[in-house]
Amino acid sequence: MVTILKMKIRFLLFFLAISLTSCSQSNQYVGEYVSNNNSSGIKQRYRLTLNLNGTFEFEQYWAQIGMNSETQATGIEKGKGTWTIKSKLIMLSCNSMTDITQDYRLDFDDTKVSILNDSIVRFVDSKMFWVVNMELKKRI
């Protein structure tokens, strides 16, 4: 009886250690990743936010700048869903019934983001061709 109890405690400690390790590995990627592009009279900002609860938000902001540096037009497109880690890839998923709304129109389902290092990620596969190869830096 004592042996079974010791075995149960060992299994519990083993699974607790694995759970803590896997949580800490994904926690290091939680945060905000950004890229700013200014060219040809258009300012663009891309932001990917990975939340601790396994959800993400993406925002693309653009502004058209006129000859006298005045803003002529602006726009924002957003997406949201959930994220997980597999090897060195952040896997983004969207539920078309709950994550795609009037405010969140971008569909990041089956999108893969490569972890280049602790502070830079790159989109490597997505239905949205315009994000592929985009690099974002972690905001500290």
PDB file of all heavy atoms in Angstrom, residues 48 54-58 78-84 91-101 104-112 123 126-128:
ATOM      1  N   LEU A  48       1.603  41.951 -33.431  1.00  0.00           N
ATOM      2  CA  LEU A  48       1.109  40.640 -33.010  1.00  0.00           C
ATOM      3  C   LEU A  48       1.279  40.558 -31.502  1.00  0.00           C
ATOM      4  O   LEU A  48       2.398  40.715 -30.995  1.00  0.00           O
ATOM      5  CB  LEU A  48       1.900  39.519 -33.688  1.00  0.00           C
ATOM      6  CG  LEU A  48       1.603  38.088 -33.214  1.00  0.00           C
ATOM      7  CD1 LEU A  48       0.173  37.689 -33.562  1.00  0.00           C
ATOM      8  CD2 LEU A  48       2.600  37.107 -33.827  1.00  0.00           C
ATOM      9  N   GLY A  54      -3.111  32.038 -24.000  1.00  0.00           N
ATOM     10  CA  GLY A  54      -3.136  31.265 -25.241  1.00  0.00           C
ATOM     11  C   GLY A  54      -3.911  31.923 -26.368  1.00  0.00           C
ATOM     12  O   GLY A  54      -4.152  31.302 -27.404  1.00  0.00           O
ATOM     13  N   THR A  55      -4.304  33.181 -26.209  1.00  0.00           N
ATOM     14  CA  THR A  55      -4.979  33.904 -27.284  1.00  0.00           C
ATOM     15  C   THR A  55      -4.005  34.896 -27.919  1.00  0.00           C
ATOM     16  O   THR A  55      -2.974  35.231 -27.326  1.00  0.00           O
ATOM     17  CB  THR A  55      -6.217  34.668 -26.769  1.00  0.00           C
ATOM     18  OG1 THR A  55      -5.808  35.649 -25.812  1.00  0.00           O
ATOM     19  CG2 THR A  55      -7.236  33.708 -26.155  1.00  0.00           C
ATOM     20  N   PHE A  56      -4.325  35.341 -29.122  1.00  0.00           N
ATOM     21  CA  PHE A  56      -3.504  36.342 -29.788  1.00  0.00           C
ATOM     22  C   PHE A  56      -4.399  37.378 -30.453  1.00  0.00           C
ATOM     23  O   PHE A  56      -5.578  37.136 -30.711  1.00  0.00           O
ATOM     24  CB  PHE A  56      -2.569  35.716 -30.836  1.00  0.00           C
ATOM     25  CG  PHE A  56      -3.269  35.340 -32.125  1.00  0.00           C
ATOM     26  CD1 PHE A  56      -3.390  36.259 -33.156  1.00  0.00           C
ATOM     27  CD2 PHE A  56      -3.815  34.087 -32.293  1.00  0.00           C
ATOM     28  CE1 PHE A  56      -4.045  35.922 -34.342  1.00  0.00           C
ATOM     29  CE2 PHE A  56      -4.461  33.736 -33.472  1.00  0.00           C
ATOM     30  CZ  PHE A  56      -4.582  34.662 -34.496  1.00  0.00           C
ATOM     31  N   GLU A  57      -3.809  38.526 -30.726  1.00  0.00           N
ATOM     32  CA  GLU A  57      -4.447  39.558 -31.543  1.00  0.00           C
ATOM     33  C   GLU A  57      -3.407  40.077 -32.516  1.00  0.00           C
ATOM     34  O   GLU A  57      -2.233  40.202 -32.172  1.00  0.00           O
ATOM     35  CB  GLU A  57      -4.973  40.716 -30.689  1.00  0.00           C
ATOM     36  CG  GLU A  57      -6.223  40.369 -29.932  1.00  0.00           C
ATOM     37  CD  GLU A  57      -6.925  41.593 -29.361  1.00  0.00           C
ATOM     38  OE1 GLU A  57      -6.887  42.665 -30.015  1.00  0.00           O
ATOM     39  OE2 GLU A  57      -7.500  41.467 -28.278  1.00  0.00           O
ATOM     40  N   PHE A  58      -3.837  40.368 -33.732  1.00  0.00           N
ATOM     41  CA  PHE A  58      -2.984  40.953 -34.754  1.00  0.00           C
ATOM     42  C   PHE A  58      -3.651  42.238 -35.217  1.00  0.00           C
ATOM     43  O   PHE A  58      -4.870  42.279 -35.368  1.00  0.00           O
ATOM     44  CB  PHE A  58      -2.820  39.998 -35.937  1.00  0.00           C
ATOM     45  CG  PHE A  58      -1.936  40.532 -37.026  1.00  0.00           C
ATOM     46  CD1 PHE A  58      -0.579  40.315 -36.999  1.00  0.00           C
ATOM     47  CD2 PHE A  58      -2.466  41.267 -38.080  1.00  0.00           C
ATOM     48  CE1 PHE A  58       0.258  40.811 -38.002  1.00  0.00           C
ATOM     49  CE2 PHE A  58      -1.657  41.773 -39.081  1.00  0.00           C
ATOM     50  CZ  PHE A  58      -0.291  41.545 -39.036  1.00  0.00           C
ATOM     51  N   LYS A  78      -7.851  43.855 -38.216  1.00  0.00           N
ATOM     52  CA  LYS A  78      -7.491  43.061 -37.049  1.00  0.00           C
ATOM     53  C   LYS A  78      -7.834  41.595 -37.242  1.00  0.00           C
ATOM     54  O   LYS A  78      -8.710  41.248 -38.026  1.00  0.00           O
ATOM     55  CB  LYS A  78      -8.239  43.570 -35.808  1.00  0.00           C
ATOM     56  CG  LYS A  78      -7.886  44.965 -35.380  1.00  0.00           C
ATOM     57  CD  LYS A  78      -8.687  45.342 -34.161  1.00  0.00           C
ATOM     58  CE  LYS A  78      -8.427  46.755 -33.707  1.00  0.00           C
ATOM     59  NZ  LYS A  78      -9.194  47.089 -32.501  1.00  0.00           N
ATOM     60  N   GLY A  79      -7.135  40.774 -36.476  1.00  0.00           N
ATOM     61  CA  GLY A  79      -7.418  39.352 -36.412  1.00  0.00           C
ATOM     62  C   GLY A  79      -7.179  38.858 -35.001  1.00  0.00           C
ATOM     63  O   GLY A  79      -6.427  39.476 -34.243  1.00  0.00           O
ATOM     64  N   LYS A  80      -7.818  37.753 -34.640  1.00  0.00           N
ATOM     65  CA  LYS A  80      -7.610  37.176 -33.315  1.00  0.00           C
ATOM     66  C   LYS A  80      -7.846  35.683 -33.372  1.00  0.00           C
ATOM     67  O   LYS A  80      -8.379  35.152 -34.350  1.00  0.00           O
ATOM     68  CB  LYS A  80      -8.522  37.825 -32.273  1.00  0.00           C
ATOM     69  CG  LYS A  80      -9.995  37.505 -32.445  1.00  0.00           C
ATOM     70  CD  LYS A  80     -10.816  38.124 -31.326  1.00  0.00           C
ATOM     71  CE  LYS A  80     -12.287  37.752 -31.485  1.00  0.00           C
ATOM     72  NZ  LYS A  80     -13.076  38.180 -30.337  1.00  0.00           N
ATOM     73  N   GLY A  81      -7.420  35.015 -32.310  1.00  0.00           N
ATOM     74  CA  GLY A  81      -7.588  33.569 -32.225  1.00  0.00           C
ATOM     75  C   GLY A  81      -6.766  33.011 -31.078  1.00  0.00           C
ATOM     76  O   GLY A  81      -6.552  33.688 -30.078  1.00  0.00           O
ATOM     77  N   THR A  82      -6.285  31.784 -31.253  1.00  0.00           N
ATOM     78  CA  THR A  82      -5.480  31.130 -30.230  1.00  0.00           C
ATOM     79  C   THR A  82      -4.116  30.755 -30.805  1.00  0.00           C
ATOM     80  O   THR A  82      -3.956  30.663 -32.018  1.00  0.00           O
ATOM     81  CB  THR A  82      -6.169  29.863 -29.693  1.00  0.00           C
ATOM     82  OG1 THR A  82      -6.405  28.971 -30.792  1.00  0.00           O
ATOM     83  CG2 THR A  82      -7.480  30.196 -29.015  1.00  0.00           C
ATOM     84  N   TRP A  83      -3.143  30.543 -29.908  1.00  0.00           N
ATOM     85  CA  TRP A  83      -1.799  30.169 -30.340  1.00  0.00           C
ATOM     86  C   TRP A  83      -1.244  29.057 -29.460  1.00  0.00           C
ATOM     87  O   TRP A  83      -1.607  28.929 -28.303  1.00  0.00           O
ATOM     88  CB  TRP A  83      -0.860  31.370 -30.351  1.00  0.00           C
ATOM     89  CG  TRP A  83      -0.525  31.952 -29.003  1.00  0.00           C
ATOM     90  CD1 TRP A  83      -1.288  32.819 -28.272  1.00  0.00           C
ATOM     91  CD2 TRP A  83       0.652  31.717 -28.230  1.00  0.00           C
ATOM     92  NE1 TRP A  83      -0.660  33.140 -27.094  1.00  0.00           N
ATOM     93  CE2 TRP A  83       0.540  32.476 -27.044  1.00  0.00           C
ATOM     94  CE3 TRP A  83       1.798  30.947 -28.420  1.00  0.00           C
ATOM     95  CZ2 TRP A  83       1.529  32.472 -26.061  1.00  0.00           C
ATOM     96  CZ3 TRP A  83       2.776  30.955 -27.446  1.00  0.00           C
ATOM     97  CH2 TRP A  83       2.637  31.713 -26.282  1.00  0.00           C
ATOM     98  N   THR A  84      -0.389  28.249 -30.079  1.00  0.00           N
ATOM     99  CA  THR A  84       0.337  27.191 -29.379  1.00  0.00           C
ATOM    100  C   THR A  84       1.756  27.144 -29.930  1.00  0.00           C
ATOM    101  O   THR A  84       2.033  27.731 -30.978  1.00  0.00           O
ATOM    102  CB  THR A  84      -0.322  25.806 -29.574  1.00  0.00           C
ATOM    103  OG1 THR A  84      -0.415  25.531 -30.979  1.00  0.00           O
ATOM    104  CG2 THR A  84      -1.698  25.743 -28.949  1.00  0.00           C
ATOM    105  N   MET A  91       1.977  28.384 -33.692  1.00  0.00           N
ATOM    106  CA  MET A  91       0.862  27.998 -34.540  1.00  0.00           C
ATOM    107  C   MET A  91      -0.348  28.863 -34.173  1.00  0.00           C
ATOM    108  O   MET A  91      -0.808  28.828 -33.035  1.00  0.00           O
ATOM    109  CB  MET A  91       0.520  26.517 -34.337  1.00  0.00           C
ATOM    110  CG  MET A  91       1.727  25.584 -34.394  1.00  0.00           C
ATOM    111  SD  MET A  91       2.536  25.559 -35.980  1.00  0.00           S
ATOM    112  CE  MET A  91       1.346  24.668 -36.923  1.00  0.00           C
ATOM    113  N   LEU A  92      -0.832  29.660 -35.133  1.00  0.00           N
ATOM    114  CA  LEU A  92      -2.002  30.511 -34.916  1.00  0.00           C
ATOM    115  C   LEU A  92      -3.232  29.816 -35.475  1.00  0.00           C
ATOM    116  O   LEU A  92      -3.191  29.258 -36.577  1.00  0.00           O
ATOM    117  CB  LEU A  92      -1.813  31.869 -35.592  1.00  0.00           C
ATOM    118  CG  LEU A  92      -0.578  32.679 -35.205  1.00  0.00           C
ATOM    119  CD1 LEU A  92      -0.553  34.002 -35.958  1.00  0.00           C
ATOM    120  CD2 LEU A  92      -0.517  32.902 -33.713  1.00  0.00           C
ATOM    121  N   SER A  93      -4.323  29.868 -34.732  1.00  0.00           N
ATOM    122  CA  SER A  93      -5.586  29.256 -35.162  1.00  0.00           C
ATOM    123  C   SER A  93      -6.721  30.239 -34.949  1.00  0.00           C
ATOM    124  O   SER A  93      -6.697  31.031 -34.013  1.00  0.00           O
ATOM    125  CB  SER A  93      -5.888  27.998 -34.341  1.00  0.00           C
ATOM    126  OG  SER A  93      -4.846  27.086 -34.418  1.00  0.00           O
ATOM    127  N   CYS A  94      -7.720  30.160 -35.821  1.00  0.00           N
ATOM    128  CA  CYS A  94      -8.929  30.974 -35.701  1.00  0.00           C
ATOM    129  C   CYS A  94     -10.143  30.067 -35.831  1.00  0.00           C
ATOM    130  O   CYS A  94     -10.145  29.160 -36.651  1.00  0.00           O
ATOM    131  CB  CYS A  94      -9.012  32.021 -36.814  1.00  0.00           C
ATOM    132  SG  CYS A  94      -7.872  33.363 -36.636  1.00  0.00           S
ATOM    133  N   ASN A  95     -11.132  30.351 -35.055  1.00  0.00           N
ATOM    134  CA  ASN A  95     -12.413  29.690 -35.188  1.00  0.00           C
ATOM    135  C   ASN A  95     -13.293  30.627 -36.004  1.00  0.00           C
ATOM    136  O   ASN A  95     -13.615  31.729 -35.545  1.00  0.00           O
ATOM    137  CB  ASN A  95     -13.012  29.413 -33.812  1.00  0.00           C
ATOM    138  CG  ASN A  95     -14.352  28.735 -33.879  1.00  0.00           C
ATOM    139  OD1 ASN A  95     -15.154  28.972 -34.777  1.00  0.00           O
ATOM    140  ND2 ASN A  95     -14.607  27.879 -32.909  1.00  0.00           N
ATOM    141  N   SER A  96     -13.679  30.214 -37.191  1.00  0.00           N
ATOM    142  CA  SER A  96     -14.435  31.106 -38.084  1.00  0.00           C
ATOM    143  C   SER A  96     -15.785  31.517 -37.493  1.00  0.00           C
ATOM    144  O   SER A  96     -16.322  32.566 -37.841  1.00  0.00           O
ATOM    145  CB  SER A  96     -14.640  30.455 -39.448  1.00  0.00           C
ATOM    146  OG  SER A  96     -15.392  29.269 -39.314  1.00  0.00           O
ATOM    147  N   MET A  97     -16.313  30.748 -36.554  1.00  0.00           N
ATOM    148  CA  MET A  97     -17.605  31.074 -35.959  1.00  0.00           C
ATOM    149  C   MET A  97     -17.483  32.115 -34.849  1.00  0.00           C
ATOM    150  O   MET A  97     -18.405  32.904 -34.642  1.00  0.00           O
ATOM    151  CB  MET A  97     -18.263  29.810 -35.394  1.00  0.00           C
ATOM    152  CG  MET A  97     -18.498  28.736 -36.439  1.00  0.00           C
ATOM    153  SD  MET A  97     -19.583  29.275 -37.766  1.00  0.00           S
ATOM    154  CE  MET A  97     -21.130  29.263 -36.925  1.00  0.00           C
ATOM    155  N   THR A  98     -16.342  32.140 -34.131  1.00  0.00           N
ATOM    156  CA  THR A  98     -16.233  33.038 -32.979  1.00  0.00           C
ATOM    157  C   THR A  98     -15.160  34.111 -33.132  1.00  0.00           C
ATOM    158  O   THR A  98     -15.281  35.181 -32.550  1.00  0.00           O
ATOM    159  CB  THR A  98     -15.945  32.235 -31.691  1.00  0.00           C
ATOM    160  OG1 THR A  98     -14.740  31.483 -31.877  1.00  0.00           O
ATOM    161  CG2 THR A  98     -17.101  31.302 -31.365  1.00  0.00           C
ATOM    162  N   ASP A  99     -14.099  33.819 -33.883  1.00  0.00           N
ATOM    163  CA  ASP A  99     -12.979  34.761 -33.980  1.00  0.00           C
ATOM    164  C   ASP A  99     -13.097  35.734 -35.148  1.00  0.00           C
ATOM    165  O   ASP A  99     -12.513  36.812 -35.105  1.00  0.00           O
ATOM    166  CB  ASP A  99     -11.649  34.006 -34.093  1.00  0.00           C
ATOM    167  CG  ASP A  99     -11.329  33.214 -32.839  1.00  0.00           C
ATOM    168  OD1 ASP A  99     -11.719  33.674 -31.754  1.00  0.00           O
ATOM    169  OD2 ASP A  99     -10.695  32.153 -32.944  1.00  0.00           O
ATOM    170  N   ILE A 100     -13.815  35.376 -36.179  1.00  0.00           N
ATOM    171  CA  ILE A 100     -13.998  36.259 -37.328  1.00  0.00           C
ATOM    172  C   ILE A 100     -15.294  37.048 -37.096  1.00  0.00           C
ATOM    173  O   ILE A 100     -16.381  36.482 -37.056  1.00  0.00           O
ATOM    174  CB  ILE A 100     -14.082  35.477 -38.657  1.00  0.00           C
ATOM    175  CG1 ILE A 100     -12.897  34.520 -38.810  1.00  0.00           C
ATOM    176  CG2 ILE A 100     -14.194  36.431 -39.832  1.00  0.00           C
ATOM    177  CD1 ILE A 100     -11.546  35.177 -38.925  1.00  0.00           C
ATOM    178  N   THR A 101     -15.130  38.365 -36.906  1.00  0.00           N
ATOM    179  CA  THR A 101     -16.276  39.231 -36.629  1.00  0.00           C
ATOM    180  C   THR A 101     -16.157  40.487 -37.486  1.00  0.00           C
ATOM    181  O   THR A 101     -15.218  40.622 -38.275  1.00  0.00           O
ATOM    182  CB  THR A 101     -16.316  39.642 -35.135  1.00  0.00           C
ATOM    183  OG1 THR A 101     -15.184  40.467 -34.855  1.00  0.00           O
ATOM    184  CG2 THR A 101     -16.326  38.435 -34.217  1.00  0.00           C
ATOM    185  N   TYR A 104     -12.871  41.948 -36.289  1.00  0.00           N
ATOM    186  CA  TYR A 104     -11.714  41.066 -36.482  1.00  0.00           C
ATOM    187  C   TYR A 104     -11.937  40.241 -37.742  1.00  0.00           C
ATOM    188  O   TYR A 104     -12.463  39.135 -37.687  1.00  0.00           O
ATOM    189  CB  TYR A 104     -11.533  40.162 -35.258  1.00  0.00           C
ATOM    190  CG  TYR A 104     -11.155  40.927 -34.021  1.00  0.00           C
ATOM    191  CD1 TYR A 104     -12.125  41.436 -33.163  1.00  0.00           C
ATOM    192  CD2 TYR A 104      -9.821  41.149 -33.711  1.00  0.00           C
ATOM    193  CE1 TYR A 104     -11.778  42.147 -32.024  1.00  0.00           C
ATOM    194  CE2 TYR A 104      -9.460  41.852 -32.570  1.00  0.00           C
ATOM    195  CZ  TYR A 104     -10.439  42.347 -31.740  1.00  0.00           C
ATOM    196  OH  TYR A 104     -10.086  43.049 -30.622  1.00  0.00           O
ATOM    197  N   ARG A 105     -11.519  40.797 -38.868  1.00  0.00           N
ATOM    198  CA  ARG A 105     -11.830  40.168 -40.160  1.00  0.00           C
ATOM    199  C   ARG A 105     -10.705  39.316 -40.722  1.00  0.00           C
ATOM    200  O   ARG A 105     -10.921  38.553 -41.658  1.00  0.00           O
ATOM    201  CB  ARG A 105     -12.212  41.238 -41.172  1.00  0.00           C
ATOM    202  CG  ARG A 105     -13.481  41.964 -40.777  1.00  0.00           C
ATOM    203  CD  ARG A 105     -13.908  42.932 -41.805  1.00  0.00           C
ATOM    204  NE  ARG A 105     -13.012  44.090 -41.790  1.00  0.00           N
ATOM    205  CZ  ARG A 105     -13.280  45.242 -42.343  1.00  0.00           C
ATOM    206  NH1 ARG A 105     -14.408  45.398 -43.006  1.00  0.00           N
ATOM    207  NH2 ARG A 105     -12.442  46.240 -42.273  1.00  0.00           N
ATOM    208  N   LEU A 106      -9.491  39.455 -40.195  1.00  0.00           N
ATOM    209  CA  LEU A 106      -8.357  38.712 -40.739  1.00  0.00           C
ATOM    210  C   LEU A 106      -8.384  37.265 -40.234  1.00  0.00           C
ATOM    211  O   LEU A 106      -8.521  37.014 -39.043  1.00  0.00           O
ATOM    212  CB  LEU A 106      -7.041  39.381 -40.350  1.00  0.00           C
ATOM    213  CG  LEU A 106      -6.865  40.816 -40.837  1.00  0.00           C
ATOM    214  CD1 LEU A 106      -5.550  41.388 -40.324  1.00  0.00           C
ATOM    215  CD2 LEU A 106      -6.920  40.885 -42.355  1.00  0.00           C
ATOM    216  N   ASP A 107      -8.235  36.311 -41.152  1.00  0.00           N
ATOM    217  CA  ASP A 107      -8.309  34.881 -40.831  1.00  0.00           C
ATOM    218  C   ASP A 107      -6.898  34.300 -40.765  1.00  0.00           C
ATOM    219  O   ASP A 107      -6.272  34.048 -41.785  1.00  0.00           O
ATOM    220  CB  ASP A 107      -9.142  34.162 -41.885  1.00  0.00           C
ATOM    221  CG  ASP A 107      -9.344  32.688 -41.575  1.00  0.00           C
ATOM    222  OD1 ASP A 107      -8.787  32.196 -40.569  1.00  0.00           O
ATOM    223  OD2 ASP A 107     -10.053  32.023 -42.351  1.00  0.00           O
ATOM    224  N   PHE A 108      -6.405  34.090 -39.552  1.00  0.00           N
ATOM    225  CA  PHE A 108      -5.066  33.547 -39.351  1.00  0.00           C
ATOM    226  C   PHE A 108      -5.075  32.046 -39.111  1.00  0.00           C
ATOM    227  O   PHE A 108      -4.081  31.496 -38.639  1.00  0.00           O
ATOM    228  CB  PHE A 108      -4.390  34.252 -38.166  1.00  0.00           C
ATOM    229  CG  PHE A 108      -3.833  35.588 -38.522  1.00  0.00           C
ATOM    230  CD1 PHE A 108      -4.583  36.737 -38.332  1.00  0.00           C
ATOM    231  CD2 PHE A 108      -2.573  35.717 -39.062  1.00  0.00           C
ATOM    232  CE1 PHE A 108      -4.082  37.982 -38.657  1.00  0.00           C
ATOM    233  CE2 PHE A 108      -2.060  36.953 -39.405  1.00  0.00           C
ATOM    234  CZ  PHE A 108      -2.810  38.088 -39.198  1.00  0.00           C
ATOM    235  N   ASP A 109      -6.155  31.352 -39.442  1.00  0.00           N
ATOM    236  CA  ASP A 109      -6.209  29.910 -39.221  1.00  0.00           C
ATOM    237  C   ASP A 109      -5.091  29.220 -39.999  1.00  0.00           C
ATOM    238  O   ASP A 109      -4.823  29.552 -41.148  1.00  0.00           O
ATOM    239  CB  ASP A 109      -7.576  29.349 -39.626  1.00  0.00           C
ATOM    240  CG  ASP A 109      -7.819  28.000 -39.000  1.00  0.00           C
ATOM    241  OD1 ASP A 109      -7.406  27.794 -37.836  1.00  0.00           O
ATOM    242  OD2 ASP A 109      -8.409  27.135 -39.664  1.00  0.00           O
ATOM    243  N   ASP A 110      -4.430  28.269 -39.363  1.00  0.00           N
ATOM    244  CA  ASP A 110      -3.320  27.501 -39.946  1.00  0.00           C
ATOM    245  C   ASP A 110      -2.127  28.374 -40.314  1.00  0.00           C
ATOM    246  O   ASP A 110      -1.384  28.052 -41.239  1.00  0.00           O
ATOM    247  CB  ASP A 110      -3.778  26.703 -41.168  1.00  0.00           C
ATOM    248  CG  ASP A 110      -4.785  25.634 -40.807  1.00  0.00           C
ATOM    249  OD1 ASP A 110      -4.669  25.059 -39.704  1.00  0.00           O
ATOM    250  OD2 ASP A 110      -5.691  25.375 -41.613  1.00  0.00           O
ATOM    251  N   THR A 111      -1.914  29.466 -39.611  1.00  0.00           N
ATOM    252  CA  THR A 111      -0.754  30.322 -39.850  1.00  0.00           C
ATOM    253  C   THR A 111       0.393  29.862 -38.960  1.00  0.00           C
ATOM    254  O   THR A 111       0.193  29.550 -37.788  1.00  0.00           O
ATOM    255  CB  THR A 111      -1.091  31.797 -39.567  1.00  0.00           C
ATOM    256  OG1 THR A 111      -2.084  32.215 -40.509  1.00  0.00           O
ATOM    257  CG2 THR A 111       0.118  32.694 -39.680  1.00  0.00           C
ATOM    258  N   LYS A 112       1.588  29.832 -39.543  1.00  0.00           N
ATOM    259  CA  LYS A 112       2.782  29.414 -38.815  1.00  0.00           C
ATOM    260  C   LYS A 112       3.754  30.586 -38.732  1.00  0.00           C
ATOM    261  O   LYS A 112       4.031  31.249 -39.730  1.00  0.00           O
ATOM    262  CB  LYS A 112       3.442  28.233 -39.514  1.00  0.00           C
ATOM    263  CG  LYS A 112       2.576  26.990 -39.528  1.00  0.00           C
ATOM    264  CD  LYS A 112       3.229  25.880 -40.328  1.00  0.00           C
ATOM    265  CE  LYS A 112       2.343  24.665 -40.369  1.00  0.00           C
ATOM    266  NZ  LYS A 112       1.297  24.747 -41.350  1.00  0.00           N
ATOM    267  N   PHE A 123       6.654  35.293 -40.012  1.00  0.00           N
ATOM    268  CA  PHE A 123       5.551  34.527 -40.582  1.00  0.00           C
ATOM    269  C   PHE A 123       6.102  33.673 -41.721  1.00  0.00           C
ATOM    270  O   PHE A 123       6.739  34.200 -42.639  1.00  0.00           O
ATOM    271  CB  PHE A 123       4.462  35.461 -41.126  1.00  0.00           C
ATOM    272  CG  PHE A 123       3.628  36.101 -40.054  1.00  0.00           C
ATOM    273  CD1 PHE A 123       4.049  37.256 -39.417  1.00  0.00           C
ATOM    274  CD2 PHE A 123       2.407  35.545 -39.677  1.00  0.00           C
ATOM    275  CE1 PHE A 123       3.280  37.851 -38.428  1.00  0.00           C
ATOM    276  CE2 PHE A 123       1.630  36.132 -38.693  1.00  0.00           C
ATOM    277  CZ  PHE A 123       2.070  37.286 -38.062  1.00  0.00           C
ATOM    278  N   SER A 126       0.863  31.152 -44.329  1.00  0.00           N
ATOM    279  CA  SER A 126      -0.443  31.732 -44.005  1.00  0.00           C
ATOM    280  C   SER A 126      -1.302  31.784 -45.260  1.00  0.00           C
ATOM    281  O   SER A 126      -0.778  31.886 -46.376  1.00  0.00           O
ATOM    282  CB  SER A 126      -0.272  33.150 -43.443  1.00  0.00           C
ATOM    283  OG  SER A 126      -1.532  33.715 -43.130  1.00  0.00           O
ATOM    284  N   LYS A 127      -2.619  31.743 -45.071  1.00  0.00           N
ATOM    285  CA  LYS A 127      -3.557  31.962 -46.173  1.00  0.00           C
ATOM    286  C   LYS A 127      -3.414  33.381 -46.711  1.00  0.00           C
ATOM    287  O   LYS A 127      -3.707  33.650 -47.858  1.00  0.00           O
ATOM    288  CB  LYS A 127      -4.999  31.778 -45.701  1.00  0.00           C
ATOM    289  CG  LYS A 127      -5.366  30.416 -45.243  1.00  0.00           C
ATOM    290  CD  LYS A 127      -6.805  30.441 -44.740  1.00  0.00           C
ATOM    291  CE  LYS A 127      -7.047  29.351 -43.750  1.00  0.00           C
ATOM    292  NZ  LYS A 127      -8.386  29.415 -43.174  1.00  0.00           N
ATOM    293  N   MET A 128      -2.995  34.279 -45.826  1.00  0.00           N
ATOM    294  CA  MET A 128      -2.845  35.689 -46.204  1.00  0.00           C
ATOM    295  C   MET A 128      -1.409  35.899 -46.692  1.00  0.00           C
ATOM    296  O   MET A 128      -0.486  36.069 -45.896  1.00  0.00           O
ATOM    297  CB  MET A 128      -3.179  36.595 -45.022  1.00  0.00           C
ATOM    298  CG  MET A 128      -4.638  36.480 -44.650  1.00  0.00           C
ATOM    299  SD  MET A 128      -5.102  37.508 -43.272  1.00  0.00           S
ATOM    300  CE  MET A 128      -4.105  36.828 -41.982  1.00  0.00           C
TER     301      MET A 128
END
